[in-house]
Amino acid sequence: MSHVSVSGLTRTFDGNPPTTAVAELDLEVEDGEFLVLLGPSGCGKTTTLRCLAGLETPTAGTIRLGESVVFDHAGRLNLPPNKRFIGMVFQSYALWPHMTVRKNIAYPLKARRMKAALAAGEVDRTAALVDCQDLLERYPAQLSGGQQQRVALARGLVAQPDLVLFDEPLSNLDARLRDQVRAELHELHQRKPFTAVFVTHDQSEALALGTRMAIMRAGRIEQLGTPREVFVDPATDYVAAFIGMSNRIEIRYANGRWSAGPTPVVGASLNPDPQGQTIVRVRPDDARLSRPGDSLAAKEAGIAAIVADVEFGGKHLDVALEVPEQKRLLVRVDIRRSDDFVRALSRGDEVVFAFDVDAARFFAAADGQRLTAVRSAVAPVEVSA
């Protein structure tokens, strides 16, 4: 294991105009930490990973692995990938097809001439660690996708590198295998901690695996914190959207009331402190549906809406709603706890999108920064569609 320190990392690509993929990025990864880089395509997360690996040459900055500087633009130092003591697990597995599983796992030890580790049975020990000890004499073509990914993981860990880099390693697996391998990877890191940087665009992977997670945007880190910190207190509208607060409602305070476009927001509300447009973010499972005219609870706010679609999800319904001048809103309803009103919903029905303001997060529309929500204590009100 090794501490990783990144300072002023920048990577630009020539073009007209030039593109900056990573912009003056500073990052510290502690010994044994599992850091997840999360963000959409083009945010710079994979370029950052490739710079750490030595597969990309940064335009500026320094990278230090433990006590060793592996890249220093000012000092014209750039160690190639084979000189950096790292392991990599790729999206495409990248196993040698002509080699058995045993030889694939052993390859990093042979490449680094670690004869003692080979003699000590490190291949068998690492294979057992990821539950592929019974596959050692097979070839990659004889393995399932999940088995190949376990072999790739074993190959990345066998030499006990200073740093293990994961480039969206679960994205090629089907949903069931993805959940299984993710759980196995988390358990493995708990049992045998190793320093890792894991790239993904999947928030569920980031929340489940990360010791900390860094949400990236346009080559910079928008927010860095533990999964719980980021999930509960997203710093910006961008982060809120990426960690599951998919409902985005633009509201404005005027003439003594809040409204979402032409639609009044009734019930509990913010004090009229923010100036201009305010953005409300709500998770689909933190909202509920009520009938027009029903009372709201003291902490709830409500917006009249029309049902646009209802999808059956087994134990839940995903109900899409239309509100004038707003993006579609989504409510995830637990069927087991819902009444006949919700079970009978269909396209065109009038409903009220109701949410607890304590579960919502509020952001300034001008810059997307988090606002402190102060709820007004108002009595429950009736809402008409």
Side-chain angles (χ1 to χ4, degrees):
M1 292 189 298
S2 183
H3 173 263
V4 181
S5 179
V6 177
S7 178
L9 186 69
T10 300
R11 178 65 170 107
T12 58
F13 293 94
D14 293 336
N16 189 17
T19 301
T20 300
V22 181
E24 299 180 2
L25 186 123
D26 296 330
L27 185 64
E28 301 287 331
V29 187
E30 301 300 328
D31 283 355
E33 181 176 26
F34 202 108
L35 178 75
V36 178
L37 302 182
L38 175 66
S41 297
C43 72
K45 59 188 187 298
T46 296
T47 301
T48 300
L49 193 81
R50 290 176 61 83
C51 289
L52 291 174
L55 301 175
E56 290 280 356
T57 301
T59 311
T62 60
I63 301 172
R64 181 184 295 271
L65 299 183
E67 299 301 318
S68 302
V69 177
V70 298
F71 177 80
D72 182 359
H73 181 265
R76 297 185 178 182
L77 172 65
N78 185 20
L79 292 185
N82 63 312
K83 299 294 184 180
R84 305 184 187 195
F85 196 36
I86 59 173
M88 284 203 70
V89 183
F90 298 94
Q91 177 180 349
S92 59
Y93 317 139
L95 301 178
W96 296 103
H98 63 290
M99 292 183 181
T100 63
V101 167
R102 179 182 296 279
K103 290 181 178 179
N104 265 283
I105 296 175
Y107 183 81
L109 299 178
K110 291 183 177 180
R112 294 186 172 103
R113 300 180 181 179
M114 299 174 67
K115 296 180 180 179
L118 280 168
E122 197 62 41
V123 171
D124 293 83
R125 188 159 38 248
T126 306
L129 197 63
V130 298
D131 195 25
C132 63
Q133 66 272 27
D134 297 330
L135 309 175
L136 289 172
E137 305 313 319
R138 297 188 191 180
Y139 288 89
Q142 299 172 311
L143 307 179
S144 69
Q147 290 171 330
Q148 289 187 60
Q149 196 56 284
R150 288 191 189 94
V151 174
L153 178 58
R155 184 183 58 187
L157 295 173
V158 68
Q160 299 183 27
D162 293 333
L163 174 66
V164 184
L165 303 176
F166 295 87
D167 186 12
E168 303 205 41
L170 309 183
S171 60
N172 280 348
L173 304 178
D174 62 44
R176 183 184 61 82
L177 270 178
R178 188 162 56 244
D179 290 345
Q180 178 184 337
V181 176
R182 183 185 69 196
E184 291 170 350
L185 180 56
H186 181 267
E187 183 181 351
L188 174 62
H189 188 261
Q190 295 296 307
R191 286 190 281 116
K192 187 182 175 70
F194 50 88
T195 308
V197 177
F198 185 103
V199 162
T200 183
H201 62 272
D202 187 323
Q203 58 130 338
S204 61
E205 289 180 10
L207 293 171
L209 292 171
T211 308
R212 288 188 302 160
M213 52 193 289
I215 314 296
M216 293 194 67
R217 179 184 190 183
R220 301 178 187 273
I221 294 176
E222 188 92 347
Q223 184 173 359
L224 176 64
T226 67
R228 185 178 298 276
E229 289 169 348
V230 177
F231 185 82
V232 174
D233 289 313
T236 66
D237 177 49
Y238 174 87
V239 174
F242 221 85
I243 51 89
M245 288 188 160
S246 56
N247 289 317
R248 185 181 191 271
I249 310 165
E250 295 184 0
I251 63 174
R252 180 180 293 275
Y253 189 83
N255 301 321
R257 71 174 191 179
W258 288 96
S259 62
T263 308
V265 180
V266 298
S269 182
L270 286 173
N271 285 332
D273 294 333
Q275 300 297 314
Q277 202 88 348
T278 298
I279 296 168
V280 185
R281 284 283 184 180
V282 184
R283 290 187 176 87
D285 51 3
D286 282 334
R288 71 178 183 89
L289 298 173
S290 69
R291 298 176 180 85
D294 283 358
S295 295
L296 300 177
K299 292 185 178 181
E300 283 187 325
I303 303 171
I306 301 295
V307 174
D309 193 24
V310 180
E311 292 183 3
F312 177 71
K315 295 182 180 180
H316 66 267
L317 294 176
D318 285 326
V319 184
L321 306 174
E322 291 181 346
V323 177
E325 299 182 15
Q326 304 292 324
K327 294 182 179 179
R328 281 195 174 184
L329 304 181
L330 183 66
V331 180
R332 175 158 289 184
V333 182
D334 188 333
I335 297 177
R336 298 165 297 178
R337 299 179 183 178
S338 61
D339 55 21
D340 292 339
F341 154 69
V342 173
R343 293 173 183 167
L345 283 175
S346 61
R347 182 178 174 83
D349 287 348
E350 296 180 346
V351 296
V352 174
F353 176 85
F355 61 94
D356 187 327
V357 296
D358 289 343
R361 297 293 180 265
F362 301 83
F363 305 90
D367 58 8
Q369 295 300 305
R370 173 81 180 272
L371 298 171
T372 302
V374 182
R375 182 172 49 83
S376 301
V378 297
V381 296
E382 293 188 352
V383 185
S384 298

